[in-house]
Amino acid sequence: MRVAFLGLGAIGRPMAARVAARHRLTVWNRTPARGAEFAAAHPAVVVAATPREAAAGAEAVITCLPTSKDVEGLLSGPQGLEAGLETGALLIDCTSGDGATSRRIAERLAARGIDFVDAPVSGGTNGAEAGTLTVMVGGDATVFERALPLLQAFGGRIVHMGPLGAGDAMKAVNNTLLAVNILALAEGLVALAKAGVSPRAAVDTLNTSSGRSFVSESLIPDRVLTGRWPVTFRLALLDKDVGICLDLLRELGLSGPLLNRAGELLREARNALDANADYLAPIRLAEQRAGVELRG
Ligand code: NDP
């Protein structure tokens, strides 16, 4: 199939690499050097100069940008995505986006006979490389079926969550629970370290006890105890996801006191950290503030 992929960021790059292994791929990236670098590693891939050029002739286009508003912005203008998308094409937006903007994009494209699904992913850059991402899809069932074979290039579990925006809602709530876990573990592990428990023993014991989570089982052993602290997912993006979740709660008339408090704490950490800080950096901040180190 002729496919275009727009947005070769931290997760877009490995997703696009998996699409390139199965389809005839054209890529576009805002910073052209990233597109050229990708094509150098994948010689069959064509690099487009504009979103319009990328979409021209493609049966399906996949976008993976920071926000839905970025995707909406990409549609407009003489060199924009919409100018290149052909009637009958399919736009799959893998951005962790917001439902309201996704519905607006879908409506705009439907007027031109172009299908749309919101299809955010979870599983990190490792999951993208391995093709094991969970993909949370919102949209009509028939469009979901159409998108499925493409999503299988990088998805291990692909779920139709409901109507347009349902994938965005699922992703935003998931990531807010991730944020809660990160912040809670930072507080708990720092307290244990200060109480004289070795971080390794604390994490190992948690992981055979009822307080464990994905963060304690996978992220902390791999990134915090080792002192590796890689940057794979920017804290700013997690903060954006929590904001989408909190907006959703407000729209639904729910107070969500715990999630709102987590949002405040995450924002506070974001403001105290570097603009490109990783999403686990709040743990580092908690270490520094308490004067302990969780490496061990
Ligand atoms: P990055 O910040 O690494 O990359 C963002 C990409 O979007 C880059 O290609 C950037 O281009 C491009 N971009 C940014 N703004 C615009 C714009 N206004 N117009 C056009 N292109 C733009 O983000 P990630 O790849 O990490 O994340 C992408 C999406 O996937 C986000 O919604 C994120 O929440 C989600 N996600 C990320 C995961 C991760 O582990 N990283 C995991 C799951 C979901 P340029 O090169 O020019 O900067």
Side-chain angles (χ1 to χ4, degrees):
M1 199 186 277
R2 290 189 64 179
V3 181
F5 197 108
L6 288 80
L8 302 171
I11 196 137
R13 231 172 9 253
M15 288 165 68
R18 294 200 60 94
V19 175
R22 293 191 182 194
H23 301 280
R24 288 169 61 195
L25 184 67
T26 300
V27 294
W28 175 84
N29 193 70
R30 182 180 61 179
T31 303
R34 277 183 158 174
E37 203 180 298
F38 186 85
H42 304 89
V45 169
V46 174
V47 183
T50 63
R52 177 187 183 156
E53 191 181 306
E59 292 154 77
V61 174
I62 303 172
T63 42
C64 191
L65 304 185
T67 68
S68 294
K69 296 247 163 35
D70 293 324
V71 177
E72 196 174 32
L74 215 60
L75 291 175
S76 304
Q79 297 308 321
L81 189 52
E82 199 179 350
L85 277 165
E86 293 175 9
T87 302
L90 165 65
L91 176 59
I92 300 175
D93 184 20
C94 290
T95 302
S96 299
D98 72 275
T101 310
S102 287
R103 284 188 288 271
R104 211 162 51 228
I105 293 172
E107 198 177 327
R108 177 170 168 180
L109 296 180
R112 293 205 31 233
I114 296 158
D115 283 340
F116 176 87
V117 282
D118 48 295
V121 301
S122 179
T125 51
N126 288 343
E129 277 164 27
T132 57
L133 292 173
T134 295
V135 191
M136 311 161 193
V137 187
D140 287 350
T142 49
V143 185
F144 170 75
E145 290 302 330
R146 207 181 152 196
L148 191 57
L150 274 157
L151 295 172
Q152 281 163 344
F154 45 77
R157 183 169 151 73
I158 302 157
V159 195
H160 185 213
M161 305 307 314
L164 279 166
D168 290 329
M170 182 70 230
K171 173 69 186 179
V173 171
N174 177 78
N175 273 25
T176 305
L177 298 179
L178 169 68
V180 168
N181 272 282
I182 290 168
L183 294 166
L185 271 157
E187 290 183 14
L189 290 177
V190 158
L192 286 168
K194 268 196 121 62
V197 179
S198 102
R200 170 69 62 181
V203 172
D204 286 349
T205 307
L206 260 182
N207 288 339
T208 53
S209 304
S210 46
R212 68 186 182 274
S213 65
F214 168 71
V215 181
S216 71
E217 289 184 316
S218 179
L219 298 178
I220 303 247
D222 185 45
R223 301 171 180 219
V224 178
L225 294 182
T226 55
R228 280 199 317 121
W229 301 104
V231 178
T232 61
F233 175 44
R234 293 187 294 118
L235 177 61
L237 292 174
L238 180 60
D239 183 43
K240 171 260 310 181
D241 294 335
V242 175
I244 294 170
C245 174
L246 298 181
D247 284 346
L248 182 66
L249 290 184
R250 265 189 296 280
E251 277 165 33
L252 297 170
L254 299 167
S255 64
L258 178 58
L259 302 189
N260 270 286
R261 183 67 187 130
E264 285 165 11
L265 293 170
L266 198 76
R267 177 61 56 91
E268 190 196 293
R270 178 183 171 181
N271 290 339
L273 288 158
D274 184 84
N276 284 318
D278 185 63
Y279 69 130
L280 292 188
I283 301 178
R284 189 116 227 222
L285 196 61
E287 279 184 329
Q288 285 160 358
R289 285 177 174 166
V292 296
E293 207 187 342
L294 297 174
R295 190 177 180 150

